[in-house]
Amino acid sequence: MSRLIAGARGLFRRHPFVSNSIIYGSLYVGAEYSQQFVTKQWLALPQEREDIDYATIGRYAVMGTAAYAPSLYIWYKWLDRTFPGTTKTIIVQKLVLDQFLLTPYLLTVFYAGMSIMEGSDDIFLELREKFMPTFVRSCIFWLPAQALNFSLVAPRFRVIYMGVCGLIWVNIMCWIKRQRLTTSSMPTTTTTMTTKTANNETIEETKIQTA
C-alpha cells in the first residue's frame, strides 16, 4: 500500500495536469454510471428496466476530462499563487472568488456544453431554467467543502479532493439535469384545425403543443 501511495504521489508530481484530468474524468463517468444503474436497473421494476445509456456517459467523460479538469487545474494554480496561506482572511477571499466567479462559469460550461453535445436546438434553454436552483444547491454543498479544501488540503492534491467532492456533486448535478423543464420555458407550437359540421358550420380548433 505504501508503494502504491508513493507511486501515486510521484505520478501527480511529474504529471499533475494529465493525472488530474484522467481521475476527474473517471469520477464524472462513475457518477453518471451509478445514477443510471440505480434509476434504470436497481430501483426499476423488472418490466421497466432500461439499458445503460453509454452515449450520455461518454458526454460526461468529455465534460469531466476536457472541460472541468483543465479549468479547475488552471484556476486553483492561479488562486494558490495569488492568495497564498491559510489565514481566515485568505480563506474567505478564496471562498468568495471560487463560489461567485468560478461556479457560474462551470455551470454555464456544463449546461451549455451538454446541450451542444446532445444536439439541442436552444443550447441555453436548460441553462436558463436550471442555473439558479443549481447555484443555490452549489452554495450549500461547496462552501463548507471548500473551507476544508483551502484550510487543510495540500495544493498538489487539491484537484483530487475536488474530484472526490465532485463525485458527490456530479450525482446531484445528474439528478438536477434529469428533472424536466417546466412547460412555460419550453418552445411551443400552435396548430389550428378547421372542420365543418353537417350544417356547413365552420369550427376552428386551436391546439398548442409543447416541444
Side-chain angles (χ1 to χ4, degrees):
M1 179 62 70
S2 60
R3 290 183 179 180
L4 182 62
I5 295 175
R9 286 178 178 174
L11 182 63
F12 287 124
R13 193 175 296 109
R14 292 191 302 271
H15 308 288
F17 181 83
V18 175
S19 302
N20 286 318
S21 295
I22 292 173
I23 291 178
Y24 206 82
S26 300
L27 290 169
Y28 260 61
V29 169
E32 172 61 15
Y33 182 87
S34 64
Q35 282 276 311
Q36 290 198 33
F37 180 80
V38 169
T39 58
K40 293 184 176 182
Q41 297 187 359
W42 188 31
L43 296 180
L45 297 174
Q47 65 273 19
E48 297 177 352
R49 289 176 181 171
E50 302 177 22
D51 294 332
I52 300 295
D53 183 359
Y54 288 101
T56 298
I57 292 176
R59 289 192 286 270
Y60 274 90
V62 172
M63 183 61 62
T65 304
Y68 265 42
S71 298
L72 292 172
Y73 178 82
I74 295 170
W75 170 259
Y76 288 118
K77 193 172 182 179
W78 173 83
L79 202 63
D80 287 328
R81 185 174 62 249
T82 307
F83 302 95
T86 57
T87 63
K88 290 183 179 179
T89 302
I90 292 295
I91 290 175
V92 170
Q93 289 175 333
K94 287 182 175 181
L95 284 174
V96 171
L97 287 173
D98 197 78
Q99 190 61 39
F100 296 98
L101 187 61
L102 177 66
T103 298
Y105 160 78
L106 291 178
L107 294 182
T108 301
V109 169
F110 177 76
Y111 284 119
M114 292 296 284
S115 294
I116 291 172
M117 287 188 284
E118 291 168 354
S120 300
D121 294 331
D122 184 353
I123 63 173
F124 298 111
L125 175 62
E126 196 167 29
L127 176 65
R128 292 193 299 268
E129 176 78 11
K130 298 180 179 179
F131 178 85
M132 282 308 300
T134 309
F135 182 76
V136 170
R137 291 179 174 91
S138 173
C139 291
I140 296 171
F141 178 83
W142 281 114
L143 286 176
Q146 290 289 48
L148 293 176
N149 181 22
F150 294 133
S151 59
L152 300 177
V153 180
R156 65 178 179 274
F157 295 119
R158 190 147 289 161
V159 173
I160 301 307
Y161 169 84
M162 289 291 294
V164 175
C165 292
L167 181 63
I168 302 171
W169 174 245
V170 174
N171 274 280
I172 299 173
M173 292 276 284
C174 292
W175 177 80
I176 297 173
K177 195 175 189 314
R178 282 188 173 82
Q179 306 308 301
R180 293 183 178 274
L181 298 173
T182 59
T183 304
S184 60
S185 67
M186 298 180 69
T188 59
T189 57
T190 303
T191 304
T192 302
M193 300 179 63
T194 303
T195 59
K196 288 189 176 182
T197 65
N199 298 325
N200 290 326
E201 294 179 350
T202 301
I203 300 176
E204 290 187 354
E205 179 182 357
T206 301
K207 183 179 182 182
I208 299 177
Q209 292 180 318
T210 302

